[in-house]
Amino acid sequence: MKPTLTPSFREFLPAWLTRQPWFRGGAPASVGFFRFEDPAGEVGIETHVLEAGGVTYQIPMTYRGAPLAGGALIVTAEHSVLGPRWIYQAETDPVWRNELLRLVRENATAGRGSDFAVHGTLLADFADDDVHIELARILTDPAQFDDIVGIVTAGDHHMATIRRRMA
């Protein structure tokens, strides 16, 4: 039997998305997802892609078996095998940040076997504590390239790019 999550992503994500200040309207529908792997195997790391009103959004999340101090909680859910899960906005989780920085530092690809994959491209060396990750929440914004899902910057310097690819 396949493990289940209650409420499921399809149940809580559209409602959460419509409450965000950057949401532009429409009826959200799932487009796909991609997944990173936590090297320690403790934290689930997924980004779900939704479309609403002709706009494509990405929602990176982490899910944990215990609360995360300082994390921005999206929802608590029950996993049929793992038990209670606390699901957070990934940008507030240090495991997501570390995995994203590893991805760009190694020019690696994550998400194979998912609907999408992402690839990090290192443009210059950086110290983890000195960088800011700018997440592209809206992937179809005309001011951005459609395949860029995030940029790593240090001050005014562009250090790395994370691009979306079809898996």
Side-chain angles (χ1 to χ4, degrees), residues 56-126:
T56 305
Y57 301 91
Q58 72 167 332
I59 304 171
M61 297 172 287
T62 59
Y63 41 100
R64 298 170 154 269
L68 172 65
L73 185 68
I74 293 175
V75 70
T76 55
E78 186 70 25
H79 190 279
S80 62
V81 175
L82 302 174
R85 299 287 104 179
W86 285 260
I87 301 175
Y88 292 93
Q89 293 181 50
E91 312 91 295
T92 65
D93 194 317
V95 171
W96 176 83
R97 178 182 168 82
N98 292 342
E99 183 57 15
L100 202 63
L101 293 177
R102 183 203 61 77
L103 178 83
V104 297
R105 185 170 278 116
E106 295 176 5
N107 291 309
T109 299
R112 289 191 170 95
S114 303
D115 300 312
F116 301 97
V118 291
H119 181 79
T121 302
L122 181 65
L123 303 174
D125 288 332
F126 57 84

Side-chain angles (χ1 to χ4, degrees), residues 122-135:
L122 181 65
L123 303 174
D125 288 332
F126 57 84
D128 290 1
D129 293 340
D130 295 336
V131 298
H132 170 74
I133 299 171
E134 182 179 339
L135 179 67

